[in-house]
């Protein structure tokens, strides 16, 4: 009997109250999960002449007290464990992205994560990332799941814990407010690094806007669109628009890069534009933005998805369209036009069962062009380009130009030189694909006046200032993520039929100052579509057409 009572006492002894659980999880966040924040703070404070030790100590204490208040508000029977398990696992993913890639998980990154496809998501899975999530997320979650809990609500204890935490928080703020406000004002990005508050805030806004807000009434624009009259003897237009992925202008030899990353197009007589800016730093923003009538400063996702884009207007005017997809999604730009999505599950010379090289987009293109109805034709090819972190999968080994490269998705284990070499190999392969597309247009120039337009959706960071990949908020994003290549090629027949002064275009390209805001009107203008939606001032070709 005594042994049984002893056993029951011991069992009760190791039970946690829901208040205690909230405090333990808050301490774990303050000490471990927010390490990316502390890493950034260390870099900032190491450049300051004098730093009070009290301020350094106060940061994890501040986070612990703040989170203990928040977590206690949600720490109730039947709710606490599911909530904390969800937070721990998602926070481990966020901390990995922030620590090793320098990614800020804001609204745009949440949007990109929700709208990515399985193949793209799988490219981020590797031994390093999986181990991190297991150690920092799964194991703590299991401890929470199997923690013995005391029955009952213990409202008084919870209220006392919240009040004490709040009082202590105010005391901490009182003593370090000067340093706290100074660092915060000069480094506003730090608030986006606090886990889990900022990514939860961003996630809530995304879910609310996407699934719980009242959709706007769809608005048709350019309803007056029509093709300009043409001489019956004039050849129709065949226009290739190649939409790149994750290519940055700084690594283009055509734009002054030291390494020859454009060995193919440099022989094709292309025009390369300097200093071209993207609309966003992620595909989910840049792609719908560039095809919409909105500019970067006015871009609103809900409005963009609730009105015609330039592809809709071109189709309404009578241009025959086709969208070919190899990057996992058109972001609804091609929702109302003919679209072909590559079957990346196939296995052949260009596809390995999970991803395809971009040359696969040129397969069967002759037959697809022949099937397109209408004379004036425009084909968009959305390529995989330089999408990371699996850069090495974007080009065949036989076409590796720069070595040593980084043959793994765990780019944090590779040297900067290896990462850059691998990335540059993707640029070379994209250059090869563009050149092959130009050769195909040349072969069809007896039937059509042909031209090609290439632009990337956004750039990429390759370790500069500790940043990798893309998705940094535009306001603080480095130029590597916001400056993109733009390349034009035109047949002689195209230049003649459109009245284009090539020397003028080359001068415009060198002067720079363009952006993806120009895509909407440029496509309308070059396809000779007359509509009030067209803005001549935002047409790249307009100043150089007679």
């Amino acid at each position: 009997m005594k042994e049984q009572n002893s056993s029951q006492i011991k069992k009760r002894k190791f039970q946690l109250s829901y208040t205690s659980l909230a405090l333990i999880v808050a301490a774990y966040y303050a000490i471990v999960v927010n390490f990316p924040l502390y890493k950034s703070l260390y870099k900032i404070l190491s450049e300051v002449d004098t730093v009070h030790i009290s301020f350094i100590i106060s940061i994890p204490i501040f986070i612990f007290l703040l989170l203990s208040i928040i977590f206690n508000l949600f720490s109730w029977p039947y709710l606490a464990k599911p909530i904390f398990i969800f937070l721990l696992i998602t926070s481990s993913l966020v901390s990995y992205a922030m620590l090793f890639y320098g990614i800020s998980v804001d609204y745009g990154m949440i949007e990109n994560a929700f709208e990515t496809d399985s193949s793209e998501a799988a490219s981020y899975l590797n031994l390093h990332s999986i181990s991190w999530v297991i150690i920092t997320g799964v194991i703590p979650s299991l401890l929470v799941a199997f923690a013995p809990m005391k029955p009952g609500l213990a409202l008084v204890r919870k209220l006392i814990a919240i009040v004490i935490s709040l009082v202590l928080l105010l005391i901490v703020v009182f003593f370090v407010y000067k340093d706290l406000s100074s660092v915060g004002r000069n480094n506003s990005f730090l608030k986006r690094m606090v886990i889990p508050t900022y990514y939860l805030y961003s996630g809530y806004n995304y879910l609310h806007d996407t699934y719980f807000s009242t959709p706007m009434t769809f608005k048709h624009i350019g309803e007056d669109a029509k093709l300009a009259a043409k001489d019956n003897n004039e050849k129709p237009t065949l226009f290739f628009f190649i939409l790149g992925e994750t290519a940055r202008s700084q690594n283009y030899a055509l734009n002054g890069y030291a390494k020859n990353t454009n060995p193919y197009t440099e022989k094709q007589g292309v025009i390369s534009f300097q200093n071209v800016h993207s609309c966003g730093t992620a595909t989910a923003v840049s792609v719908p933005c560039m095809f919409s009538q909105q500019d970067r400063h006015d871009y609103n996702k809900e409005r963009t998805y609730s009105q015609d884009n330039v592809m809709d207007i071109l189709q309404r005017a009578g241009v025959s369209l086709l969208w070919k997809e190899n990057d996992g999604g058109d972001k609804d730009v091609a929702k109302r036009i003919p679209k072909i999505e590559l079957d990346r599950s196939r296995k052949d010379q260009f596809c390995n069962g999970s991803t395809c090289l971009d040359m696969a987009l040129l397969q069967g293109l002759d037959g697809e062009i022949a099937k397109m109805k209408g004379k004036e034709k425009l084909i968009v090819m959305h390529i995989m380009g330089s999408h990371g972190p699996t850069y090495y999968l974007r080009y065949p080994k036989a076409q590796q130009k720069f070595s040593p490269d980084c043959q793994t998705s765990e780019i944090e284990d590779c040297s900067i030189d290896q990462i850059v070499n691998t990335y540059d190999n993707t640029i070379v392969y994209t250059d090869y694909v563009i050149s092959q597309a130009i050769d195909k247009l040349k072969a069809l120039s007896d039937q059509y006046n042909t031209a090609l337009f290439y632009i990337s959706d956004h750039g990429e960071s390759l370790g500069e200032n500790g940043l990798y990949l893309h998705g940094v908020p535009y306001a603080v994003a480095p130029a590597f993520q916001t400056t993109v290549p733009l390349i034009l090629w035109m047949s002689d027949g195209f230049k003649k039929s459109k009245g284009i002064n090539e020397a003028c275009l080359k001068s415009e390209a060198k002067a720079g100052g363009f952006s993806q805001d120009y895509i909407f009107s440029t496509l309308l203008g070059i396809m000779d579509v007359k509509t009030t939606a067209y803005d001549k001032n935002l047409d790249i070709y307009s100043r150089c057409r007679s």
Side-chain angles (χ1 to χ4, degrees):
M1 189 72 173
K2 287 182 179 180
E3 289 180 2
Q4 187 177 358
N5 290 337
S6 177
S7 176
Q8 289 176 348
I9 291 170
K10 188 180 286 187
K11 187 177 180 181
R12 287 197 300 269
K13 188 177 180 181
F14 289 102
Q15 286 182 326
L16 286 173
S17 69
Y18 286 96
T19 299
S20 299
L21 180 63
L23 294 174
I24 291 170
V25 175
Y28 179 70
Y29 269 81
I31 298 169
V32 177
V33 179
N34 275 285
F35 184 75
L37 169 66
Y38 302 146
K39 184 182 177 183
S40 293
L41 274 170
Y42 174 79
K43 184 179 179 181
I44 293 168
L45 297 179
S46 63
E47 297 174 357
V48 178
D49 294 333
T50 57
V51 182
H52 297 292
I53 189 67
S54 58
F55 174 67
I56 296 174
I57 296 173
S58 72
I59 299 300
I61 295 175
F62 177 88
I63 291 174
F64 165 71
L65 294 172
L66 176 64
L67 293 182
S68 67
I69 295 170
I70 297 172
F71 288 169
N72 260 302
L73 294 174
F74 295 94
S75 185
W76 303 98
Y78 306 109
L79 287 178
K81 288 190 175 185
I83 288 173
F84 290 148
I85 289 170
F86 169 78
L87 288 178
L88 286 166
I89 292 176
T90 55
S91 295
S92 68
L93 292 167
V94 171
S95 66
Y96 181 85
M98 291 171 63
L99 186 60
F100 295 102
Y101 297 143
I103 293 174
S104 175
V105 185
D106 61 353
Y107 186 102
M109 189 53 63
I110 295 289
E111 179 182 26
N112 219 38
F114 269 86
E115 297 181 9
T116 192
D117 69 333
S118 58
S119 177
E120 182 178 332
S123 68
Y124 293 92
L125 296 178
N126 51 58
L127 182 61
H128 200 268
S129 62
I130 293 172
S131 299
W132 179 273
V133 172
I134 289 174
I135 293 170
T136 65
V138 175
I139 292 176
S141 294
L142 291 174
L143 294 174
V144 168
F146 293 106
M149 304 303 297
K150 289 180 181 179
L153 300 178
L155 289 174
V156 174
R157 181 182 295 180
K158 185 182 290 292
L159 183 60
I160 291 172
I162 291 174
V163 171
I164 291 174
S165 296
L166 181 59
V167 171
L168 291 175
L169 183 66
L170 293 173
I171 291 172
V172 170
V173 171
F174 176 79
F175 283 105
V176 298
Y177 178 77
K178 183 178 179 181
D179 292 327
L180 195 65
S181 61
S182 176
V183 172
R185 279 197 304 269
N186 296 325
N187 305 276
S188 59
F189 70 92
L190 289 173
K191 68 182 180 182
R192 293 191 292 267
M193 298 191 71
V194 179
I195 303 173
T197 53
Y198 193 74
Y199 84 84
L200 289 177
Y201 169 77
S202 301
Y204 168 79
N205 286 334
Y206 172 77
L207 292 173
H208 176 268
D209 293 348
T210 306
Y211 301 107
F212 300 103
S213 60
T214 304
M216 295 176 66
T217 303
F218 195 90
K219 178 183 178 183
H220 292 292
I221 58 175
E223 292 187 287
D224 59 341
K226 61 181 180 179
L227 286 168
K230 268 190 174 183
D231 189 321
N232 290 331
N233 296 321
E234 188 176 345
K235 289 186 291 187
T237 298
L238 175 60
F239 193 91
F240 283 178
F241 186 102
I242 298 183
L243 176 56
E245 170 65 39
T246 323
R248 68 187 205 181
S249 180
Q250 291 87 347
N251 287 54
Y252 267 63
L254 293 171
N255 296 336
Y257 189 48
K259 293 157 71 175
N260 187 8
T261 51
N262 302 110
Y264 301 102
T265 58
E266 69 175 359
K267 300 173 184 177
Q268 295 281 19
V270 300
I271 301 173
S272 182
F273 281 67
Q274 313 293 310
N275 198 30
V276 179
H277 297 287
S278 67
C279 189
T281 60
T283 307
V285 174
S286 286
V287 171
C289 179
M290 76 169 80
F291 286 94
S292 77
Q293 194 178 34
Q294 300 175 70
D295 62 26
R296 181 179 71 80
H297 299 286
D298 295 331
Y299 175 73
N300 175 276
K301 175 187 173 183
E302 186 181 9
R303 193 184 318 125
T304 296
Y305 282 79
S306 300
Q307 66 182 33
D308 288 324
N309 59 53
V310 68
M311 306 306 289
D312 298 317
I313 299 173
L314 288 167
Q315 182 169 251
R316 182 178 299 127
V319 178
S320 186
L321 302 174
L322 175 63
W323 184 290
K324 296 196 73 175
E325 179 64 50
N326 187 35
D327 192 36
D330 59 277
K331 307 307 176 187
D332 275 358
V333 173
K335 188 176 183 179
R336 294 170 289 275
I337 68 170
K339 182 176 74 170
I340 296 173
E341 190 154 357
L342 293 186
D343 178 11
R344 289 183 280 175
S345 65
R346 74 181 204 242
K347 293 185 178 181
D348 54 31
Q349 61 175 324
F350 295 127
C351 302
N352 64 9
S354 62
T355 186
C356 291
L357 296 170
D358 287 323
M359 273 299 294
L361 287 166
L362 300 185
Q363 286 183 308
L365 197 54
D366 290 334
E368 290 158 358
I369 293 170
K371 290 179 182 178
M372 294 173 70
K373 298 177 181 179
K375 292 184 177 181
E376 306 299 301
K377 299 176 180 180
L378 187 152
I379 298 175
V380 178
M381 286 177 268
H382 191 188
I383 66 175
M384 186 66 81
S386 302
H387 200 293
T390 50
Y391 303 120
Y392 70 100
L393 294 178
R394 308 298 167 235
Y395 56 93
K397 191 69 176 176
Q399 288 182 255
Q400 175 190 351
K401 182 177 176 66
F402 305 107
S403 61
D405 58 0
C406 180
Q407 289 284 318
T408 175
S409 63
E410 300 179 60
I411 58 175
E412 62 274 12
D413 292 338
C414 296
S415 68
I416 296 297
D417 287 342
Q418 287 177 305
I419 295 170
V420 172
N421 281 339
T422 316
Y423 182 82
D424 286 344
N425 285 332
T426 69
I427 301 296
V428 173
Y429 187 68
T430 294
D431 197 64
Y432 171 74
V433 173
I434 294 172
S435 181
Q436 290 294 300
I438 291 172
D439 285 343
K440 187 166 287 292
L441 288 172
K442 287 179 177 178
L444 293 168
S445 290
D446 59 333
Q447 303 173 50
Y448 302 95
N449 291 318
T450 58
L452 179 144
F453 188 112
Y454 165 77
I455 190 169
S456 183
D457 57 352
H458 53 76
E460 185 88 327
S461 287
L462 300 175
E464 299 88 3
N465 297 316
L467 294 178
Y468 293 89
L469 304 179
H470 52 268
V472 172
Y474 204 97
V476 294
F480 295 115
Q481 295 191 27
T482 60
T483 311
V484 296
L486 193 166
I487 294 172
L488 305 181
W489 175 86
M490 302 167 288
S491 68
D492 290 336
F494 183 89
K495 286 181 282 188
K496 183 178 178 181
S497 70
K498 305 292 182 179
I500 293 174
N501 183 325
E502 187 172 10
C504 170
L505 260 186
K506 287 181 178 179
S507 177
E508 290 286 301
K510 189 175 181 180
F514 294 96
S515 72
Q516 290 174 349
D517 294 343
Y518 284 75
I519 299 300
F520 182 91
S521 287
T522 293
L523 290 179
L524 291 174
I526 204 62
M527 296 306 293
D528 294 318
V529 172
K530 305 298 181 183
T531 171
T532 52
Y534 169 77
D535 185 346
K536 185 177 181 180
N537 295 320
L538 292 175
D539 180 352
I540 290 173
Y541 295 95
S542 65
R543 300 175 197 171
C544 300
R545 293 183 69 179
S546 59

